[in-house]
């Protein structure tokens, strides 16, 4: 894990603005206060989403889905996916070589996966 003062090589993009509700506003404030590498970019067009799938990593930490459509879309676009280690994720991504799984309740495991993802990326990333 990097020390707080070290620069990260990644940025996490949230497709929300940060003011949707009280919970998200609190999250936004914490991100800013802690100077986390997270950017709130708001809604994207379908074309922009598909473009992101081909040139970035989809982080899908949800553990309450019945079907994670973004994972299927990223898979169809040959994207790299970090997904919660849950039955629905495993079903959608079964046999997919560019998917890695993490315990959705273990922040350290996810942080380590994010920090090391550059070693697992395909050559075209």
């Amino acid at each position: 894990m990097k020390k707080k003062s070290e620069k990260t090589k990644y940025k996490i993009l949230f497709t929300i603005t940060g003011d949707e509700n009280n919970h998200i506003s609190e999250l936004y404030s914490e991100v800013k206060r802690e100077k986390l590498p997270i950017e709130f970019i708001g809604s994207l067009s379908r074309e922009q989403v598909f473009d992101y799938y081909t040139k970035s990593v989809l982080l899908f930490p949800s553990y309450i889905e019945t079907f994670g459509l973004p994972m299927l879309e990223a898979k169809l676009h040959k994207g790299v996916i970090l997904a919660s280690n849950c039955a629905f994720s495993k079903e959608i991504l079964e046999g997919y070589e560019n998917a890695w799984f993490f315990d959705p309740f273990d922040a350290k495991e996810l942080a380590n996966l994010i920090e090391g993802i550059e070693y697992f990326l395909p050559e075209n990333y």
Side-chain angles (χ1 to χ4, degrees), residues 48-63:
Q48 289 171 308
V49 170
F50 294 158
D51 187 48
Y52 272 111
Y53 289 151
T54 65
K55 66 180 183 184
S56 61
V57 176
L58 173 66
L59 174 58
F60 200 87
S62 179
Y63 57 89

Side-chain angles (χ1 to χ4, degrees), residues 23-113:
H23 177 72
I24 293 174
S25 293
E26 290 173 18
L27 175 65
Y28 181 86
S29 295
E30 184 175 349
V31 164
K32 296 305 177 193
R33 182 175 56 254
E34 297 295 327
K35 298 181 175 130
L36 299 175
I38 297 172
E39 186 177 331
F40 293 75
I41 61 172
S43 296
L44 299 173
S45 69
R46 287 196 61 71
E47 292 78 22
Q48 289 171 308
V49 170
F50 294 158
D51 187 48
Y52 272 111
Y53 289 151
T54 65
K55 66 180 183 184
S56 61
V57 176
L58 173 66
L59 174 58
F60 200 87
S62 179
Y63 57 89
I64 59 171
E65 303 293 326
T66 56
F67 188 84
L69 183 59
M71 289 187 293
L72 178 60
E73 291 174 339
K75 177 181 172 181
L76 292 172
H77 285 86
K78 309 286 189 241
V80 174
I81 304 165
L82 304 181
S84 61
N85 191 1
C86 296
F88 70 90
S89 300
K90 294 284 194 162
E91 182 180 350
I92 294 166
L93 300 171
E94 182 178 1
Y96 185 57
E97 63 185 27
N98 288 330
W100 289 270
F101 300 93
F102 60 90
D103 178 343
F105 302 102
D106 187 341
K108 185 168 266 187
E109 181 182 351
L110 175 56
N112 289 335
L113 188 58

